[in-house]
């Protein structure tokens, strides 16, 4: 009996101990992670939608975990632990046969698009291999009051009117609820506008806003970072160093695989050289150097210009692979960027070829607004969205979302210029300044 | 329920104790084989949906439901039933004792089948817990747990009947693995620490442990008994086997979080998992060395023996485990994580290792129990269909996964990665078709080794005309 006891009892005791250590205790501890500020609990409709999501096995092909890696950037900001507070039946998934859905409610906010896509994915994405879910819909002869018909392209439309059933509505409600809250609430921007910061010689309001938009999703509004994943900036030696070279270099060229205060950080910080102007970078750096108890020497935009010019030195000082070419001061239309932004933001509805979906999403190829000499209507459509418009005698009911809050002026200009130079279009190019101007007009 | 049909096996030549053992083993293997054919038919069916997504668009035949039926069916019905049947047989034979309770063996088999049937039906109706490898509703998993408890009770009680003080190494692995799995089933079911991210931590623990502390020790345990029987020589080193047993136990439970690298799980938990994924090379290399040294000098003739199934299993274990260690590195996960590469890896291990080891065990032990041998030719056809099939399968998905990962890193549109992987998904179906054809031949072989007329009987009929 002794040997049996050693093998079965002893090994089971060891295993139980390890199971408690690696499964139960982390489970208990992590079950108490507070929700990310701004995260909303699911409504009963959305919760039912998640049950449909689970029951139909959506999580086998779609993850809900955005990693701090460059390949995950199109899906949203990196997922934070508190994002899962209301997601029991965790749906992080282990495979991406389809894209990540953590932020799908923001990325694809049109419920009509979601319905068409669920009824027949190939109606909106011809190359898709996602299964169709026709059992989430009903086909009726006459549209009941209060219901919305799903406007299917003719070749996919069955006889009769397609409307979502309760499961279908719940699933779309759940999908649209999947929005990553910004890790910085809007109020905290106002809070940082302290009058005393005026004497510091930089625009603290701008610095705070730029920091919130570009840095806070990882480093946190309080500069505390996320332990073990994103380094804290409060009290960081580089931020407080009198010599700003390393600080400027990190913002310009990004950073990865660094050991800070004895803790190793693997997540890649992206390079901002191409995304922000010298003044903006200076504002962010000064904001960081004067916040959360930091007392680093302030810098000016000229320091950033000098650091950019010193590129070869910077390459050695920071991680070489993160170095990107310096953007010319007056940028013209970047065709590659425009094409990519279009694919990320517009391609799902208007199609990679700009052909749209007849009767549902209007084509851009040959469109009079896109080819107009005066770009005002094209720009306002991008900024404020559009709905219920007739184009070429065909009426389009599906709402186009506004992009004013999602994209910068430069990005909107790039998209518009891409549209104006593609698929046989010959509209004159626009500049970011024109977007800025129209954005200001209400 | 199985005993009535199993009683049809003509076992006149065997002493009564052996007849019981043969009946039990034959019933477990036959039941497991039915599940293998069913669950892999489902797998093959869904693989074609990657090429023809609008084929069979109904809820009951949809990918999202059938995928879980495929994995749960192969895991908890095919592999678990076959391994428990073999483990009961090994417990009795290696201890030179009678099986503790035939009745208990039937109860275990009935519980395992009940769980598998209920699990399959409820999954197809859309009732699922929605956690990979623990999709079955909690009360169905409880039935599975009861099946394991009755089985391990039988194993321990049988081993306790031995005269020798010494317990054969196989029983270390089979009894240990079953007991740990019972703990795992309980841990996975308790509800109070499974909220939000806490549930992710439990899932990270569960989904890898289910593979490495259930299928791995039982497959190794069965091989430690079957291989010496087939080669007619002792295992190379008993103590190396014991060493691998304890190191596997200590390192494996810690590595589950490597399935959630770059996720919001705490970074230290992920790092710990990576460190111990490297440590897993210790039990893997010592276990593999032990088997390969046992094989040493037999390569001239093992290709005409069922030992070749175990040889493939050992290589599957070695390659799959080393691949697992490398995949755990963050630098490589940036490329491969969340791609089809992982699906290829899981088939290399669950099929190339576990399933081949089970086949080796069945071909080695079932004929010794029933006195009926399969035809060499059909055993060879089974081997080559399955081996070539799994090589195509794993190669296709490794390539598809690498391409997907590179597309994402390059920042191409997501749909581009779908288009680029499509041809390889078709190759996966080709490999899968060969594997499935192999399973049909295997089912025929099981028939000849149990209820049908085997080649030995035919040979006897020819040489001794009545």
């Amino acid at each position: 009996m002794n040997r049996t006891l050693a093998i079965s009892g002893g090994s089971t005791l060891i295993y139980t101990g390890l199971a408690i250590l690696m499964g139960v205790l982390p489970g208990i501890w992590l079950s108490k992670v507070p929700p990310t500020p701004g995260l909303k609990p699911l409504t009963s409709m959305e919760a039912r939608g998640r049950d449909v999501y689970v029951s139909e096995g959506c999580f086998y092909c779609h993850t809900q975990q955005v990693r701090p890696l460059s390949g995950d950037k199109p899906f949203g900001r990196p997922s934070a632990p508190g994002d899962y507070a209301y997601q029991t039946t965790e749906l992080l998934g282990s495979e991406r046969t389809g894209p990540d859905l953590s932020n799908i409610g923001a990325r694809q906010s049109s419920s009509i698009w979601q319905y068409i896509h669920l009824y027949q994915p190939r109606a909106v994405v011809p190359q898709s291999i996602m299964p169709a879910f026709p059992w989430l819909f009903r086909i009726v002869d006459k549209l009941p009051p209060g219901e919305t018909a799903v406007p299917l392209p003719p070749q996919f439309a069955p006889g009769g009117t397609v409307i979502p059933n309760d499961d279908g509505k719940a699933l779309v409600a759940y999908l649209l609820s999947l929005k990553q809250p910004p890790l910085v609430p809007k109020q905290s921007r106002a809070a940082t506008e302290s009058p005393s910061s005026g004497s510091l010689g930089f625009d603290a309001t701008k610095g705070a806003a730029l920091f919130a938009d570009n840095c806070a999703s990882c480093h946190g509004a309080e500069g505390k970072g996320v332990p073990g994943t994103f380094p804290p900036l409060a009290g960081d030696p580089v931020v407080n160093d009198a010599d700003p070279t390393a600080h400027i270099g990190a913002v310009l060229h990004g950073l990865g695989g660094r050991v800070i205060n004895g803790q190793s950080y693997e997540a890649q910080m992206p390079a901002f050289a191409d995304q922000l102007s010298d003044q903006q970078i200076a504002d962010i750096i000064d904001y960081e150097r004067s916040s959360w108890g930091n007392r680093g020497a302030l810098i000016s935009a000229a320091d950033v210009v000098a650091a950019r010019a010193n590129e070869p030195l910077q390459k050695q000082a920071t991680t070489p692979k993160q170095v990107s070419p310096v953007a010319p001061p007056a940028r013209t239309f970047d065709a590659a960027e425009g094409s990519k932004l279009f694919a990320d933001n517009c391609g799902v509805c208007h199609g990679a070829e700009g052909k749209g979906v007849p009767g549902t999403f209007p084509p851009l190829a040959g469109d009079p607004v896109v080819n107009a000499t005066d770009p005002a209507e094209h720009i306002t459509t991008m900024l404020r969205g559009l709905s219920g418009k007739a184009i070429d005698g065909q009426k389009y009911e599906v709402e186009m979302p506004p992009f004013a809050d999602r994209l910068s002026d430069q990005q909107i200009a790039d998209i518009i210029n891409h549209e104006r130079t593609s698929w046989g279009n010959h509209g004159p190019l626009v500049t970011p300044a024109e977007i800025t101007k129209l954005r200001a007009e209400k | 329920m199985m005993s009535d049909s199993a009683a049809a096996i003509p076992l006149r030549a065997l002493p009564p104790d052996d007849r019981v053992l043969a009946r039990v083993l034959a019933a477990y293997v036959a039941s497991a084989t039915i599940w293998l054919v069913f669950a892999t038919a489902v797998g093959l069916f869904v693989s074609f949906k990657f090429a023809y997504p609008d084929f069979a668009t109904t809820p009951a035949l949809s990918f999202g439901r059938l995928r879980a039926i495929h994995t749960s069916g192969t895991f908890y019905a095919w592999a678990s039933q076959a391994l428990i049947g073999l483990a009961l047989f090994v417990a009795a034979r290696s201890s030179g004792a009678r099986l503790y309770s035939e009745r208990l063996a039937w109860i275990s088999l009935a519980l395992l089948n009940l769980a598998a049937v209920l699990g399959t039906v409820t999954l197809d109706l859309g009732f699922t817990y929605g956690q990979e490898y623990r999709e079955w509703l909690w009360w169905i998993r409880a039935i599975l747990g009861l099946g394991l408890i009755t089985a391990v009770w039988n194993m321990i009680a049988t081993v306790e009947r031995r005269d020798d003080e010494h317990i054969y190494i196989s029983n270390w692995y089979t009894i240990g693995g079953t007991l740990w799995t019972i703990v795992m089933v309980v841990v996975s079911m308790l509800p109070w620490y499974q909220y939000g991210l806490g549930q992710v931590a439990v899932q990270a623990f569960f989904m890898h442990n289910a593979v490495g502390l259930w299928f791995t020790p039982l497959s190794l345990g069965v091989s430690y008994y079957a291989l010496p029987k087939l080669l007619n020589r002792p295992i190379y080193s008993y103590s190396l086997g014991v060493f691998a047993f304890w190191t596997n136990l200590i390192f494996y439970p810690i590595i589950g979080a490597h399935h959630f690298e770059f996720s919001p799980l705490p970074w230290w938990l992920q790092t710990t998992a990576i460190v111990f994924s490297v440590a897993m090379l210790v039990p893997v290399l010592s276990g593999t060395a032990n088997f390969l040294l046992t094989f040493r000098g037999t390569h001239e003739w093992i290709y005409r023996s069922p030992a070749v199934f175990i040889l493939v299993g050992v290589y599957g274990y070695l390659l799959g485990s080393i691949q697992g260690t490398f995949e755990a590195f963050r630098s490589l996960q940036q490329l491969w994580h969340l791609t089809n590469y992982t699906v290829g890896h899981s088939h290399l291990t669950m099929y190339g290792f576990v399933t081949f080891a089970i086949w080796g065990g069945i071909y080695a032990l079932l004929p010794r129990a029933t006195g009926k041998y399969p035809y060499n030719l059909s055993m060879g056809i089974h081997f080559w269909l399955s081996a070539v099939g799994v090589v195509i399968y794993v190669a296709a998905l490794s390539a598809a996964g690498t391409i997907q990962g590179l597309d994402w890193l390059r920042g191409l549109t997501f749909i581009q990665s779908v288009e680029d992987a499509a041809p390889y998904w078709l190759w996966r179906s080709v490999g899968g078709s060969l594997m499935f054809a192999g399973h049909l031949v295997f089912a025929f072989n099981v028939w000849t080794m149990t209820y049908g007329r085997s080649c030995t009987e035919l040979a006897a009929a020819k040489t001794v005309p009545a």
Side-chain angles (χ1 to χ4, degrees):
Chain A
M1 189 62 204
N2 287 337
R3 267 171 198 272
T4 321
L5 206 64
I7 296 166
S8 47
S11 75
T12 306
L13 214 62
I14 291 174
Y15 183 73
T16 309
L18 289 169
I20 290 171
L21 210 62
M22 299 308 296
V24 176
L25 289 181
I28 292 174
W29 172 48
L30 292 170
S31 288
K32 292 175 185 154
V33 172
T36 308
L39 189 71
K40 294 194 196 82
L42 298 188
T43 63
S44 61
M45 176 87 152
E46 290 160 0
R48 175 176 173 177
R50 189 183 44 207
D51 292 343
V52 176
Y53 187 95
V54 171
S55 161
E56 299 303 344
C58 305
F59 55 93
Y60 289 121
C61 296
H62 294 284
T63 54
Q64 288 189 29
Q65 43 171 326
V66 182
R67 302 170 296 169
L69 299 176
S70 66
D72 282 22
K73 256 188 175 172
F75 300 131
R77 63 154 170 81
S79 297
D83 292 353
Y84 300 92
Y86 305 121
Q87 301 277 352
T88 299
T89 303
E90 60 88 8
L91 298 168
L92 273 72
S94 61
E95 204 195 320
R96 279 183 193 156
T97 305
D100 186 272
L101 299 183
S102 301
N103 199 30
I104 191 67
R107 285 195 288 128
Q108 189 47 270
S109 57
S110 159
S111 60
I112 293 290
W113 186 92
Q114 298 285 2
Y115 285 130
I116 299 174
H117 187 241
L118 281 172
Y119 184 82
Q120 175 47 273
R122 280 151 293 287
V124 279
V125 185
Q127 315 93 317
S128 172
I129 61 155
M130 179 170 126
F133 293 89
W135 59 92
L136 301 178
F137 296 85
R138 283 191 296 146
I139 297 171
V140 292
D141 294 333
K142 203 169 145 282
L143 188 65
E147 297 279 358
T148 314
V150 180
L152 287 157
Q155 69 269 37
F156 296 103
T161 304
V162 176
I163 54 172
N165 66 17
D166 290 348
D167 279 352
K169 284 180 197 162
L171 178 57
V172 168
Y174 172 65
L175 291 173
L176 295 184
S177 80
L178 293 172
K179 288 183 189 146
Q180 294 180 315
L183 289 183
V184 182
K186 293 248 190 258
Q187 303 91 299
S188 76
R189 291 191 198 178
T192 48
E193 290 177 49
S194 53
S196 65
S197 60
S199 62
L200 290 171
F202 78 100
D203 187 339
T205 317
K206 269 194 194 153
L210 284 163
F211 180 86
D213 286 345
N214 294 286
C215 322
S217 65
C218 295
H219 294 293
E222 313 296 323
K224 286 185 189 151
V226 175
T229 310
F230 305 117
L233 299 176
D236 181 76
V238 169
V239 175
N240 286 291
D241 195 346
D243 177 5
T245 315
H247 195 174
I248 301 176
V251 178
L252 279 176
H253 308 299
L255 207 58
R258 272 302 183 89
V259 177
I260 300 170
N261 280 338
Q263 168 113 45
S264 165
Y265 291 94
E266 298 293 339
Q268 287 284 343
M269 163 162 165
F272 288 92
D274 285 351
Q275 299 179 29
L276 299 171
S277 71
D278 298 326
Q279 184 59 54
Q280 288 175 314
I281 289 178
D283 283 345
I284 289 179
I285 288 177
D286 284 346
Y287 176 73
E288 291 172 354
R289 288 178 159 251
S290 56
S291 304
W292 323 300
N294 287 342
R295 292 282 174 267
L298 296 190
I299 65 158
S300 68
D303 293 324
V304 182
V305 176
R308 277 195 202 257
N310 248 352
E311 179 127 307
L313 287 173
Q314 286 303 320
K315 273 182 183 165
Q316 289 158 11
T318 61
T319 316
K321 63 185 170 185
Q322 282 297 316
V323 176
S324 321
V326 178
R331 279 211 287 173
T332 53
F333 164 48
D334 180 345
E337 188 64 15
S339 151
K340 181 159 172 10
L341 285 163
F342 179 84
D344 287 347
N345 294 286
C346 323
V348 277
C349 293
H350 293 294
E353 309 296 326
K355 286 186 192 145
V357 175
T360 310
F361 304 115
L364 300 175
D367 182 75
V369 170
V370 174
N371 286 290
T373 318
D374 178 6
E377 190 178 351
H378 196 175
I379 296 173
T380 45
T381 306
M382 273 300 292
L383 283 172
R384 316 228 157 90
L386 200 62
S387 68
K389 214 193 152 184
I391 299 170
D392 278 343
Q394 167 109 45
K395 202 155 162 34
Y396 292 94
E397 299 289 349
V398 181
E399 195 169 328
M400 164 158 163
F403 287 88
D405 291 345
R406 291 199 228 168
L407 299 173
S408 70
D409 294 342
Q410 180 67 56
Q411 289 174 316
I412 290 181
D414 283 345
I415 289 178
I416 288 180
N417 287 335
H418 173 74
E419 293 172 353
R420 290 178 157 250
T421 53
S422 303
W423 323 301
N425 289 341
H426 290 295
L429 297 188
V430 302
T431 63
E434 290 174 89
I435 320 283
T436 317
K437 189 163 147 269
L438 284 166
R439 198 195 275 272
E441 289 173 13
K442 275 289 161 188
Chain B
M1 81 190 178
M2 282 295 166
S3 59
D4 296 337
S5 54
I9 311 172
L11 298 164
R12 271 165 253 104
L14 298 170
D17 291 349
D18 286 355
R19 222 178 290 166
V20 168
L21 209 52
R23 265 206 303 270
V24 168
L25 180 61
Y28 271 78
V29 169
S31 167
T33 305
I34 292 168
W35 281 106
L36 173 72
V37 172
F38 167 74
T40 53
V42 171
L44 185 60
F45 178 82
V46 294
S47 84
F48 281 106
K49 291 204 162 214
F50 280 72
Y52 309 102
D54 283 325
F55 170 55
T57 304
T58 62
L61 295 178
S62 69
F63 178 85
R65 298 190 188 179
L66 290 184
R67 186 209 190 256
I69 292 178
H70 167 65
T71 50
S72 301
T74 47
F75 278 29
Y76 302 119
W78 148 246
S80 299
Q81 289 186 10
L83 285 170
I84 289 176
L86 289 165
L88 288 171
F89 181 86
V90 170
R93 281 293 173 86
S94 66
S95 306
R98 282 181 298 114
L99 186 67
Y100 168 72
S101 163
E102 184 187 3
R103 190 187 173 82
L104 211 53
W106 297 132
I107 291 174
S108 305
L109 185 60
L111 287 169
L112 292 172
N113 270 306
L114 182 66
V117 169
L118 289 173
T120 303
V121 172
T122 48
L123 284 181
D124 205 39
L125 294 175
F127 295 98
T128 171
Y129 196 64
Q131 308 266 283
E132 232 166 301
Y133 307 149
R134 46 176 182 153
E135 288 100 341
W136 287 355
L137 300 177
W138 69 267
W139 52 273
I140 300 178
R141 278 184 279 142
I143 297 174
L144 173 77
L146 281 178
L148 295 178
I149 290 171
T150 48
V152 80
W153 175 10
N154 216 352
M155 286 179 218
I156 294 174
T158 304
V159 170
E160 275 309 284
R161 293 183 160 186
R162 73 193 187 280
D163 296 325
D164 209 354
E165 194 203 354
H166 163 99
I167 298 177
Y168 186 65
I169 185 76
S170 288
N171 298 311
W172 290 57
Y173 279 90
T174 55
I175 290 173
T178 312
L179 285 167
W180 310 332
T181 307
I182 293 165
V183 176
M184 207 185 312
V185 170
V186 173
V187 167
S188 81
M189 272 167 41
L190 298 180
W192 73 86
Y193 41 76
Q194 306 209 14
Y195 295 103
L197 199 61
Q199 192 173 45
V200 181
V202 180
Q203 175 66 5
F205 167 78
F206 178 83
M207 79 192 246
H208 209 87
N209 277 225
V211 178
L213 290 157
W214 173 228
F215 299 113
T216 300
L218 268 86
S219 303
L220 294 178
V222 166
S223 300
Y224 272 124
Y225 181 78
L227 195 57
K229 287 275 174 238
L230 286 169
L231 300 181
N232 201 23
R233 55 158 69 171
I235 203 81
Y236 173 76
S237 162
Y238 193 91
S239 51
L240 203 54
V242 173
F243 174 72
F245 171 86
W246 288 111
T247 45
N248 187 75
L249 167 64
I250 288 166
F251 297 152
Y252 213 109
I254 301 173
I255 70 177
H258 75 201
H259 278 267
F260 288 93
E261 281 181 28
F262 301 107
S263 81
L265 279 189
W267 204 256
W268 65 263
L269 195 67
Q270 301 176 30
T271 306
T272 314
I274 297 168
V275 171
F276 281 91
S277 300
V278 178
M280 274 308 293
L281 289 176
V282 172
V284 168
L285 293 179
S286 37
T288 309
N290 207 3
F291 281 110
L292 292 182
L293 288 167
T294 308
F295 270 113
R296 196 167 52 169
T298 60
H299 286 77
E300 279 168 31
W301 57 273
I302 56 164
Y303 298 110
R304 288 186 296 278
S305 135
V308 71
F309 281 94
I310 297 181
L311 186 66
V312 169
V314 171
Y315 282 128
Y317 178 52
L318 178 68
L319 289 176
S321 304
I322 289 181
Q323 191 188 29
T325 295
F326 276 88
E327 258 192 283
F329 293 132
R330 286 199 177 97
S331 49
L332 293 174
Q333 284 236 338
Q334 293 197 17
L335 174 65
W336 281 327
H337 194 33
L338 307 176
T339 70
N340 268 255
Y341 190 90
T342 315
V343 185
H345 167 68
S346 70
H347 282 75
L348 176 56
T349 48
M350 269 306 289
Y351 197 90
F353 161 41
V354 173
T355 297
F356 268 86
I358 294 173
W359 283 331
I362 289 173
Y363 284 132
L365 304 182
L366 190 55
R368 282 177 164 76
T370 61
K372 296 173 163 210
Y373 285 79
Y375 301 98
N376 257 331
L377 178 64
S378 62
M379 207 158 65
I381 295 174
H382 167 209
F383 176 81
W384 285 111
L385 282 173
S386 298
V388 173
V390 73
V391 167
I392 294 175
Y393 188 108
V394 174
L397 285 191
S398 304
T402 308
I403 289 167
Q404 286 175 305
L406 287 172
D407 280 359
W408 299 345
L409 285 177
R410 278 191 214 131
L412 301 182
T413 55
F414 190 87
I415 196 72
Q416 186 67 44
S417 70
V418 176
E419 287 184 74
D420 291 347
Y424 300 92
W425 286 331
L426 214 53
W427 275 107
R428 178 248 297 270
S429 295
V430 170
S433 304
L434 293 178
M435 290 150 77
F436 180 70
H439 303 165
L440 296 177
V441 179
F442 168 66
F444 169 76
N445 292 341
V446 169
W447 173 255
T448 58
M449 288 184 283
T450 52
Y451 311 103
R453 290 189 80 187
S454 79
C455 70
T456 35
E457 287 172 312
L458 287 182
K462 272 181 202 153
T463 49
V464 192

